[in-house]
Amino acid sequence: MAAPVIERLPILILFPHSRCNCRCLMCDIWKESERKELSAEDVRRWLPGWRALGVERIVLSGGEALMHGDLWRLCRPLVDAGIRISLLSSGLLLARDAEGIASHVDDVILSLDGPRAVHDEIRNVPRAYDRLAEGVAAVRAASRSVGISARCTVQRRNFRHLRETVRAARELGLDRISFLAADVSSEAFNRPGGWTGAQQSVIALAPGEIDELATELTLLEEELAADRDFIVEGPEKLRAKLLRYFAALAGDGDFAPVTCNAPWVSSVVESDGTVRPCFFHEPLGNIHRDGSLQEILNGGKAVAFRAALDVATNPVCRRCVCSLNHGS
């Protein structure tokens, strides 16, 4: 049984900036009109407490972190403290910030939605793929030590193109690629109250498309056998994360069992200071008004939440598209 009090927190996810420079079909963050940011001064003030918690890695998420007004000043004390930094990004600003990335970031995880035409359609931004490619080249030129990988969010517009997506990642010179299903059922990604059934149906696969996904996964396994090390998930895990997930959403069977310890080994601090146990669960407090991160995570609300949480049966966890199992 996990300890009720968190003494060490290896992973901390920060949303430095609230807005995004893409208009993706499966996300509503781009609809955020208010600019909210974590300040460099705040991070510097909070850092001693984070070090006391044993934070080893900061993940910059959001929102597009590279839209922050002074991101590298925010990151500098983290780097000086020996904390590793991972950047999740759309890739549109990589070329502009290549030198800053080379100086502050250990690895970059880019959103890649498919080959050029598919990626541009889903991102809904002109030349999104080409700008991503230019950014990858710029970061590689600035540093060969920064890892650059891709994450593909699978949905109705791209599930027929998984093999092409892997080839695109190879052509871009990325280190690896992972896949996850598009989340359609939570309030994350700036969807308070969640999506309606009609909105979900635009992204989730229809029952008649599940067999097509199964065929694409089989072809992926057969034709790209040499890419097994390049694709993070093995065939069995891909089928659980994608095929079984979309089938369950369509009412055919149950979701795959979930193994996750995110609320015990990580936390999320959003651009307005909201603290969550993960991307998908309800807030535990706000770091601007409810005390330090350690006080919030070990306060009565957070301890009670973790004590009652059974990830195997919790409805939010059962539908989670990106569970974490750190340390296993």
Side-chain angles (χ1 to χ4, degrees):
M1 179 180 295
V5 173
I6 290 180
E7 297 180 350
R8 295 192 62 80
L9 192 81
I11 301 170
L12 180 58
I13 301 161
L14 300 183
F15 292 7
H17 186 82
S18 61
R19 303 184 67 188
C20 187
N21 51 7
C22 287
R23 300 170 62 88
C24 299
L25 304 176
M26 63 286 190
C27 175
D28 285 348
I29 291 175
W30 60 271
K31 296 179 180 179
E32 172 62 59
S33 59
E34 184 180 357
R35 181 188 178 102
K36 292 174 285 190
E37 292 189 340
L38 296 175
S39 74
E41 290 73 20
D42 284 337
V43 169
R44 189 178 296 275
R45 187 174 71 255
W46 296 330
L47 181 56
W50 297 353
R51 295 185 68 180
L53 276 170
V55 172
E56 300 169 3
R57 180 174 295 275
I58 296 282
V59 180
L60 304 178
S61 185
E64 172 56 60
L66 294 177
M67 292 176 68
H68 188 276
D70 201 353
L71 183 63
W72 306 128
R73 192 162 71 91
L74 180 151
C75 290
R76 189 70 251 167
L78 302 174
V79 174
D80 292 342
I83 296 175
R84 292 171 290 171
I85 297 178
S86 297
L87 170 67
L88 308 186
S89 176
S90 68
L92 297 181
L93 298 175
L94 280 188
R96 185 197 73 180
D97 287 321
E99 293 297 333
I101 291 168
S103 301
H104 299 85
V105 173
D106 294 274
D107 66 288
V108 180
I109 303 171
L110 299 171
S111 297
L112 179 65
D113 297 307
R116 180 179 282 101
V118 176
H119 180 82
D120 287 357
E121 177 193 6
I122 292 174
R123 292 277 129 182
N124 203 17
V125 173
R127 296 190 67 250
Y129 184 93
D130 290 338
R131 291 169 66 182
L132 184 150
E134 292 161 4
V136 171
V139 174
R140 292 293 194 206
S143 171
R144 299 300 302 180
S145 64
V146 176
I148 312 178
S149 61
R151 178 177 295 160
C152 178
T153 301
V154 179
Q155 45 133 316
R156 289 191 78 180
R157 303 293 183 96
N158 66 3
F159 78 92
R160 297 180 179 91
H161 304 279
L162 303 187
R163 289 168 291 158
E164 295 173 78
T165 304
V166 173
R167 295 188 189 104
R170 283 283 197 195
E171 291 169 2
L172 288 165
L174 304 183
D175 298 324
R176 64 191 62 84
I177 186 170
S178 64
F179 292 91
L180 76 164
D183 169 64
V184 299
S185 58
S186 80
E187 296 187 8
F189 310 108
N190 194 34
R191 299 185 302 224
W195 271 349
T196 66
Q199 289 172 310
Q200 292 182 31
S201 67
V202 173
I203 301 302
L205 274 61
E209 294 170 327
I210 304 300
D211 288 343
E212 289 186 73
L213 174 59
T215 298
E216 179 66 14
L217 287 172
T218 297
L219 293 172
L220 179 67
E221 295 164 13
E222 294 173 352
E223 295 181 20
L224 301 177
D227 285 294
R228 290 285 171 81
D229 292 336
F230 186 68
I231 302 171
V232 172
E233 301 86 1
E236 184 176 341
K237 189 170 184 179
L238 267 185
R239 288 181 175 273
K241 290 182 67 174
L242 301 179
L243 188 63
R244 188 167 175 180
Y245 180 85
F246 283 117
L249 279 182
D252 182 12
D254 201 0
F255 295 94
V258 175
T259 301
C260 180
N261 61 358
W264 292 270
V265 299
S266 69
S267 182
V268 175
V269 179
E270 298 181 353
S271 58
D272 65 353
T274 296
V275 176
R276 295 179 185 268
C278 71
F279 288 102
F280 304 103
H281 280 287
E282 292 293 321
L284 301 173
N286 188 291
I287 198 169
H288 289 303
R289 63 171 183 266
D290 298 324
S292 68
L293 181 63
Q294 189 170 31
E295 289 170 332
I296 292 172
L297 294 180
N298 290 320
K301 182 176 181 178
V303 170
F305 166 78
R306 292 191 298 271
L309 181 62
D310 179 3
V311 298
T313 60
N314 181 274
V316 173
C317 297
R318 297 287 287 118
R319 290 171 171 256
C320 182
V321 297
C322 55
S323 57
L324 173 70
N325 194 24
H326 180 77
S328 63

